[in-house]
Amino acid sequence: MDNLPPMDLMRSEKMSFVQLIIPVESAHRAVSYLGELGLLQFRDLNADKSPFQRMFVNQVKRCAEMSRKLRFFKDQISKAGLLSSVRPVTQPDVELEELEIQLAEHENELIEMNANSEKLRQSYNELLEFKIVLQKAGSFLVSSGTHAVSERELDENVYSNDDYVDTASLLEQEMRPGISGQSGLRFISGIISKSKVLRFERMLFRAMRGNMLFNQAPADEEIMDPISSEMVEKTVFVVFFSGEQAKSKILKICEAFGASFYPVPEDITKQRQITREVSSRLDELEVTLDAGIRHRNKALASIGVHLVKWISMVRREKAVYDTLSMLNFDVTKKCLVGEGWCPIFAKAQLQAALQRATFDSNSQVGIIYHVMDAAESPPTYFRTNKFTNAFQEIVDAYGVARYQESNPSVYTVITFPFLFAVMFGDWGHGICLLLGALVLIARESKLGTQKLGSFMEMLYGGRYVLLLMSLFSIYCGLIYNEFFSVPYHIFGLSAYKCRDTTCSEAKTTGLVKYQDPYAFGVDPSWRGSRSELPFLNSLKMKMSILLGVAQMNMGIILSYFNARFFGSSLDIRYQFVPQIIFLNSLFGYLSLLIIIKWCTGSQADLYHVMIYMFLSPTEDLGENQLFWGQRPLQIILLLLAMIAVPWMLFPKPFILKRLHTERFQGRTYGILATSETDLEVEPDSARHYDEDFNFSEVFVHQMIHSIEFVLGAVSNTASYLRLWALRYDNLVIRLVGLAMFAFATAFILLMMETLSAFLHALRLHWVEFQNKFYHGDGYKFRPFSFATLTEDED
């Protein structure tokens, strides 16, 4: 087996710990080229320093500031309803300093245009509100006759813009004669947001104790908020009151609620004159606003052409300086020292990139690439493609593989969709899943470039998982002979027929077998017969046990290959051997009985056999005996299972203690690192306890592991019965109408049953399969790569 080539994905890539000594003049270019390559994970040599104490903090701040400006431009383009160019026009590369100057100029220009536009919009809104108040409040004033006199002073006028001095002066001239000599009924008119009217009226009523008259009318036009650019519904109001104290209270309440108040003369002629003046000013402002918006959109469009390229450039530069901040600066040699992990196969590519950086930066000194030893465990790196990546993510969700341990995703590629299909198995539903998977695969090039929601992103990422799940579901559905829970005679005629022409006794007396068994899968005549439940339940339960025991044995066998790979003979002798004996002495034997019963057609009760194997192992089996020598074999298997438990529990901790004692008493020093014999004497599991060995802790850990395996062997086997329990036949769907059938199929069976089967298949792999051999306590290889940069890193 040692001469066989290594299986791809079976074990993670071999890693090497390297040190780079980079001259200052070529450091930026070298890190940029390594980022394009994406095969080196840098180690932070300044972890004890805060971000503000690092060498390149100023450059990082500059890049962060440029990222802020670019986000501002992107937000402005989005608000304007423009689209930034996905494929920017070709332009010569610009330096970071030049780009920084350009971004500052564009930002200042946009801020100035936004400020002017906001002022114009504010003035336009005030004139529009004034016009609406003049139109609506006029009807209230006509009804009040000569008893109401308008109270307005110049300092109450909202207009502070010099452009409207003429209007204010006209109002002042018209209104002041009526103010000075009046002490009767007065009014204040204005406009307020519609959402605040009810609370505003209640507050006025309570503050005035009912001594006021409140009239309101909805505005005919919505008014744009200059800050949020949202259209707001408003309501015109007129409050009639008497007295200076009441006036002061009303003005304070208006100010608190954000209401705007405007002067309205009672004279209709003056109202018309002011309305004409306001309308004229509105037309002028509208033209000015449109011109300003066109100019602003033109500026944003010119920015949008280069926005994608600028964002990518700034994001890369920030990532480069963040990485440079992880390196140590050697003052005496004027160089940067970096350390990190890289795959062994990438050595030539990394050296070529570093040589190119030296040449392009015109450096007189080359970059030194030095392989070192490391005390810490290397990161785990699997080279995956678009097909295997989703399965690797399923495994990594449980835990990242320890460096070079067996990778469950090699087997998960097949076992996961197959166990899903065992639970889901309906070839009608499988076809629906297949169509969905094929649509995602056919449009993967388009969907891969779009920003998807979380649910669609999950479906897109698992499109090949869906493909295999659907294909296996069709296969298992054909075995179960279920098409939307309905059986069909696909592979020929049934082997059974009714006893009479009416077939009225099919569900009571049973059917008669008259020819060879059905060619493939379950005979459709079992559906609806009196033996349907006993037969199908027995078949699926036994099949679930066989699949479960097979997968658990695979997990234990993989633990052997792990121990053999790491040179841990202790784990092979005192973990693998007793585990394989215990599992197969009980559940392997049960699987053997199931196969023999199927092959011989025996009527033996396997429940009785397994129960009395423990309660009365020497009792005669009688009619439950399946083969000669079964009773002594059961006694031997029971004894082996009982021996396997202390075999797992006691030897390993005591051997580890002896090895530790001998090692630190000096008896095994000298040739430990070179002798091949010592790899057998001192296995890998013993090396974990070299420096700090606590026997009680090791013993408790081994005891927990042994008890967990013994109990888990029973509970894990029971868990595989979910493969049988999740199979059901929904007879109600046959009785409902076509519309209800389609709804139930699409939303209940396809979605809910798919999710249920997926989660149970996930549990069977994570708990029942992987816990037999998979540690999952490693950490991922995360190289510095421009390809993995996201918006979150801006």
Side-chain angles (χ1 to χ4, degrees):
M1 293 185 64
D2 294 333
N3 297 325
L4 294 176
M7 184 187 297
D8 190 26
L9 277 181
M10 182 61 189
R11 300 196 184 278
S12 60
E13 295 290 340
K14 292 183 178 180
M15 310 294 287
S16 61
F17 188 70
V18 299
Q19 183 184 61
L20 304 179
I21 302 176
I22 312 172
V24 174
E25 61 270 16
S26 57
H28 183 278
R29 199 177 295 271
V31 173
S32 297
Y33 289 171
L34 291 175
E36 291 174 358
L37 194 60
L39 288 172
L40 180 63
Q41 176 178 320
F42 283 94
R43 182 181 180 185
D44 191 357
L45 302 179
N46 299 309
D48 57 333
K49 296 181 180 179
S50 69
F52 301 101
Q53 295 175 323
R54 304 199 177 202
M55 183 176 177
F56 296 93
V57 60
N58 292 328
Q59 288 84 346
V60 173
K61 286 181 179 179
R62 288 170 57 194
C63 292
E65 178 63 17
M66 285 189 282
S67 296
R68 182 197 61 79
K69 292 175 182 177
L70 290 170
R71 289 194 300 269
F72 170 69
F73 297 152
K74 188 176 181 180
D75 182 59
Q76 292 295 308
I77 291 173
S78 177
K79 285 184 177 180
L82 304 175
L83 295 176
S84 57
S85 177
V86 178
R87 296 180 179 177
V89 296
T90 304
Q91 64 167 355
D93 293 335
V94 296
E95 295 294 332
L96 190 65
E97 291 76 10
E98 184 181 348
L99 178 60
E100 188 176 16
I101 296 172
Q102 290 183 22
L103 295 182
E105 292 175 353
H106 286 308
E107 185 188 32
N108 292 334
E109 182 184 4
L110 270 179
I111 289 176
E112 184 178 354
M113 285 191 290
N114 288 344
N116 293 334
S117 178
E118 188 175 336
K119 289 180 182 178
L120 288 173
R121 175 59 63 180
Q122 184 68 30
S123 301
Y124 180 84
N125 287 349
E126 290 174 354
L127 283 174
L128 183 59
E129 288 178 350
F130 190 16
K131 179 182 176 182
I132 295 172
V133 170
L134 285 171
Q135 293 172 347
K136 295 293 182 179
S139 59
F140 299 143
L141 298 179
V142 169
S143 62
S144 64
T146 58
H147 298 289
V149 179
S150 177
E151 167 70 36
R152 286 298 177 272
E153 300 178 2
L154 183 59
D155 57 355
E156 294 176 8
N157 197 333
V158 175
Y159 303 121
S160 58
N161 196 312
D162 295 335
D163 294 339
Y164 308 107
V165 172
D166 296 337
T167 305
S169 299
L170 174 63
L171 292 173
E172 181 183 4
Q173 294 171 3
E174 296 297 332
M175 304 302 290
R176 273 187 180 175
I179 294 173
S180 57
Q182 295 295 335
S183 60
L185 189 63
R186 304 180 182 184
F187 72 89
I188 291 177
S189 57
I191 193 167
I192 190 173
S193 176
K194 186 178 180 180
S195 60
K196 300 179 181 178
V197 170
L198 185 59
R199 290 181 287 123
F200 178 62
E201 183 179 3
R202 287 178 179 174
M203 181 61 72
L204 286 174
F205 184 83
R206 291 172 182 172
M208 303 296 295
R209 298 184 180 179
N211 295 320
M212 62 93 188
L213 179 63
F214 184 86
N215 288 331
Q216 60 173 312
D220 295 332
E221 300 180 45
E222 293 184 343
I223 298 174
M224 179 184 291
D225 188 336
I227 298 176
S228 64
S229 300
E230 295 181 355
M231 303 303 293
V232 181
E233 293 185 1
K234 297 212 170 185
T235 300
V236 177
F237 67 89
V238 177
V239 184
F240 295 94
F241 63 92
S242 178
E244 287 292 331
Q245 189 176 3
K247 170 189 167 184
S248 177
K249 288 182 180 181
I250 294 173
L251 292 178
K252 287 181 180 179
I253 294 173
C254 288
E255 185 178 353
F257 278 84
S260 303
F261 34 86
Y262 299 94
V264 178
E266 285 187 280
D267 190 345
I268 298 178
T269 303
K270 294 178 181 177
Q271 287 183 17
R272 291 175 179 173
Q273 181 183 356
I274 296 174
T275 302
R276 285 195 297 270
E277 292 179 9
V278 171
S279 299
S280 176
R281 295 290 178 84
L282 281 172
D283 293 339
E284 295 173 2
L285 274 178
E286 193 169 352
V287 173
T288 307
L289 276 172
D290 290 342
I293 290 173
R294 286 195 299 271
H295 178 63
R296 180 171 171 272
N297 288 347
K298 185 178 179 181
L300 289 173
S302 65
I303 294 173
V305 173
H306 310 293
L307 187 63
V308 174
K309 183 174 182 179
W310 288 349
I311 290 175
S312 176
M313 178 182 174
V314 172
R315 190 178 294 164
R316 287 183 171 216
E317 288 294 322
K318 184 174 182 295
V320 168
Y321 285 117
D322 280 332
T323 303
L324 286 171
S325 297
M326 300 167 68
L327 311 184
N328 271 340
F329 180 65
D330 192 328
V331 181
T332 58
K333 298 179 182 178
K334 294 184 179 179
C335 63
L336 292 169
V337 179
E339 296 176 357
W341 293 98
C342 70
I344 290 179
F345 72 82
K347 180 180 179 180
Q349 301 177 58
L350 291 172
Q351 289 178 331
L354 295 175
Q355 290 175 2
R356 185 161 57 96
T358 302
F359 178 79
D360 292 345
S361 58
N362 298 320
S363 176
Q364 301 298 321
V365 182
I367 300 172
I368 299 175
Y369 179 95
H370 176 56
V371 179
M372 302 173 60
D373 293 329
E376 64 186 71
S377 176
T380 300
Y381 175 47
F382 295 105
R383 282 188 284 181
T384 59
N385 52 36
K386 61 183 181 181
F387 180 82
T388 58
N389 183 66
F391 295 98
Q392 188 64 54
E393 290 296 326
I394 289 174
V395 173
D396 289 347
Y398 175 83
V400 178
R402 180 183 291 181
Y403 178 65
Q404 291 262 289
E405 77 169 324
S406 297
N407 183 16
S409 65
V410 175
Y411 311 96
T412 302
V413 170
I414 297 300
T415 59
F416 183 85
F418 176 72
L419 289 182
F420 168 87
V422 170
M423 292 179 277
F424 188 77
D426 185 302
W427 63 279
H429 296 158
I431 290 174
C432 296
L433 281 183
L434 178 62
L435 293 176
L438 292 177
V439 169
L440 292 173
I441 293 172
R443 304 184 62 185
E444 67 178 10
S445 57
K446 182 179 180 181
L447 294 174
T449 59
Q450 295 179 355
K451 190 173 182 180
L452 306 174
S454 57
F455 180 72
M456 276 302 299
E457 186 176 0
M458 179 182 66
L459 287 180
Y460 173 75
R463 58 195 182 280
Y464 290 103
V465 179
L466 284 175
L467 176 66
L468 289 185
M469 284 163 47
S470 61
L471 293 176
F472 278 113
S473 295
I474 293 172
Y475 169 73
C476 290
L478 291 173
I479 291 179
Y480 298 149
N481 201 345
E482 288 190 10
F483 180 79
F484 294 106
S485 299
V486 178
Y488 286 90
H489 293 79
I490 304 172
F491 301 101
L493 298 175
S494 171
Y496 300 90
K497 65 179 181 180
C498 297
R499 295 177 181 272
D500 54 24
T501 56
T502 62
C503 205
S504 59
E505 297 178 343
K507 294 186 179 181
T508 55
T509 307
L511 303 173
V512 178
K513 185 175 182 179
Y514 74 101
Q515 65 176 17
D516 292 336
Y518 192 64
F520 182 82
V522 176
D523 194 312
S525 294
W526 285 107
R527 300 289 181 176
S529 69
R530 68 184 181 91
S531 304
E532 176 186 7
L533 286 180
F535 170 74
L536 292 180
N537 286 350
S538 175
L539 169 68
K540 292 170 183 176
M541 183 171 63
K542 292 180 174 65
M543 185 178 66
S544 300
I545 292 174
L546 292 177
L547 292 174
V549 172
Q551 191 176 33
M552 288 191 291
N553 270 295
M554 172 62 73
I556 298 175
I557 292 171
L558 287 176
S559 72
Y560 164 77
F561 286 108
N562 266 343
R564 191 170 183 272
F565 179 83
F566 291 113
S568 178
S569 59
L570 195 63
D571 287 338
I572 295 176
R573 294 168 186 166
Y574 304 107
Q575 190 163 303
F576 164 73
V577 174
Q579 285 183 357
I580 203 79
I581 289 175
F582 181 86
L583 181 66
N584 289 288
S585 294
L586 301 179
F587 300 105
Y589 174 63
L590 174 61
S591 302
L592 176 64
L593 294 181
I594 291 173
I595 294 173
I596 293 174
K597 183 177 179 180
W598 279 351
C599 295
T600 60
S602 171
Q603 298 298 316
D605 186 355
L606 299 187
Y607 290 107
H608 183 277
V609 173
M610 293 303 297
I611 291 173
Y612 281 91
M613 177 180 174
F614 292 92
L615 297 180
S616 301
T618 59
E619 182 180 320
D620 185 25
L621 295 173
E623 62 181 8
N624 291 320
Q625 181 167 331
L626 290 168
F627 56 90
W628 179 84
Q630 181 178 354
R631 186 175 62 180
L633 176 62
Q634 288 186 173
I635 296 174
I636 294 173
L637 292 176
L638 186 60
L639 291 175
L640 286 174
M642 295 175 65
I643 293 172
V645 176
W647 191 351
M648 276 188 286
L649 175 59
F650 295 108
K652 186 176 176 180
F654 288 98
I655 293 175
L656 287 175
K657 182 180 180 181
R658 179 178 60 82
L659 290 173
H660 175 79
T661 304
E662 291 177 356
R663 181 177 181 86
F664 284 90
Q665 283 181 354
R667 281 183 254 170
T668 56
Y669 281 110
I671 57 172
L672 283 176
T674 57
S675 173
E676 295 181 0
T677 315
D678 291 326
L679 293 177
E680 294 294 319
V681 176
E682 185 191 14
D684 181 74
S685 57
R687 301 187 194 112
H688 296 301
Y689 303 98
D690 279 352
E691 297 180 0
D692 185 16
F693 184 84
N694 188 324
F695 176 75
S696 60
E697 182 180 340
V698 173
F699 186 82
V700 169
H701 178 271
Q702 187 65 25
M703 181 174 63
I704 292 173
H705 183 79
S706 302
I707 295 174
E708 186 181 45
F709 177 82
V710 172
L711 297 180
V714 180
S715 64
N716 293 168
T717 305
S719 295
Y720 280 94
L721 294 179
R722 290 185 175 90
L723 299 174
W724 155 65
L726 284 180
R727 292 294 314 136
Y728 63 91
D729 182 15
N730 199 335
L731 297 175
V732 178
I733 295 180
R734 305 185 191 182
L735 306 177
V736 297
L738 182 61
M740 287 298 296
F741 174 79
F743 175 82
T745 298
F747 294 98
I748 298 177
L749 292 182
L750 274 180
M751 293 183 67
M752 300 305 295
E753 190 178 354
T754 300
L755 181 60
S756 177
F758 183 91
L759 292 177
H760 283 305
L762 201 63
R763 173 195 158 83
L764 293 178
H765 279 78
W766 281 358
V767 179
E768 279 69 32
F769 174 55
Q770 292 180 189
N771 71 348
K772 302 294 186 298
F773 68 97
Y774 188 61
H775 291 92
D777 55 357
Y779 63 100
K780 268 189 178 182
F781 174 61
R782 300 188 184 279
F784 170 59
S785 174
F786 291 147
T788 58
L789 296 179
T790 61
E791 293 183 6
D792 296 336
E793 300 179 33
D794 290 348

